[in-house]
Amino acid sequence: MKSAHAAISSFLFFLAFCAAPAFAQVFKCVDAIGKVTYSNGSGLGKGCKQLSNEQSVSIISIRPNPSQAAFPRISDETQRERDRTRRYVLEKELDSERLGLEDARNKLAEQEAVRYGNEKNYQRMLDRLQPYREAVERRERNIEALTQELSELR
């Protein structure tokens, strides 16, 4: 049984290996604006000429995704309204971050003015102030990012 499968497999491999390569007529078409396309002969128009079999051409067929082709387009007014809404939201967030930055700076200044008795070691004071400094830095980064995003809006 094994030898029969081996013989059939070998024979099929031999046929596949010895099969003659297929050649098709290939046409090169250049339209009025200079766009080059290659075709197998269907839908030929002006500016098409057959390539000889000696010329090597690799053809890749790309078909548009039907779901992308039917993707709905929105009107310009709808897009402008969305852009206005986005700008409004970003400006509100920017205002909120600026208020938060002011508050974080005030809290940091309050904490810097206080020196506790167990902070004779300067590092202890720095450790206590670190979360306040990080809050200020975080607010500053947020403001920078929002400002950048607002500048990139249409």
Side-chain angles (χ1 to χ4, degrees):
M1 185 74 168
K2 276 188 174 180
S3 62
H5 285 288
I8 292 172
S9 296
S10 297
F11 179 71
L12 290 176
F13 178 77
F14 177 76
L15 283 178
F17 184 78
C18 293
F23 291 100
Q25 290 181 340
V26 178
F27 295 86
K28 178 181 180 180
C29 303
V30 182
D31 65 9
I33 59 172
K35 179 181 170 190
V36 177
T37 56
Y38 294 92
S39 175
N40 63 352
S42 59
L44 293 177
K46 280 183 155 183
C48 294
K49 89 178 155 179
Q50 182 177 357
L51 298 176
S52 67
N53 287 341
E54 293 83 35
Q55 291 175 306
S56 175
V57 177
S58 296
I59 299 175
I60 300 171
S61 176
I62 300 174
R63 297 180 187 199
N65 186 343
S67 65
Q68 290 176 342
F71 193 75
R73 302 276 305 164
I74 60 169
S75 69
D76 290 341
E77 183 55 37
T78 302
Q79 185 60 48
R80 280 192 291 275
E81 182 60 34
R82 288 179 181 177
D83 291 342
R84 281 191 294 270
T85 302
R86 182 168 180 228
R87 178 176 295 280
Y88 175 78
V89 168
L90 288 172
E91 287 172 349
K92 287 293 184 188
E93 286 182 31
L94 184 59
D95 291 342
S96 174
E97 285 297 323
R98 285 181 176 151
L99 289 174
L101 176 60
E102 184 179 334
D103 185 49
R105 283 182 176 159
N106 289 338
K107 287 180 181 178
L108 176 61
E110 288 172 9
Q111 291 299 315
E112 286 176 333
V114 175
R115 184 87 183 240
Y116 296 113
N118 65 349
E119 293 178 338
K120 291 178 182 172
N121 182 346
Y122 186 66
Q123 186 60 44
R124 286 188 181 174
M125 185 184 77
L126 292 177
D127 292 344
R128 179 178 54 86
L129 294 177
Q130 188 62 32
Y132 297 98
R133 288 192 175 127
E134 288 174 354
V136 169
E137 290 171 3
R138 184 175 49 253
R139 296 288 184 164
E140 288 172 343
R141 283 192 309 269
N142 289 347
I143 289 172
E144 185 179 321
L146 288 167
T147 304
Q148 176 68 30
E149 196 168 344
L150 276 167
S151 71
E152 291 174 359
L153 286 179
R154 292 184 245 169

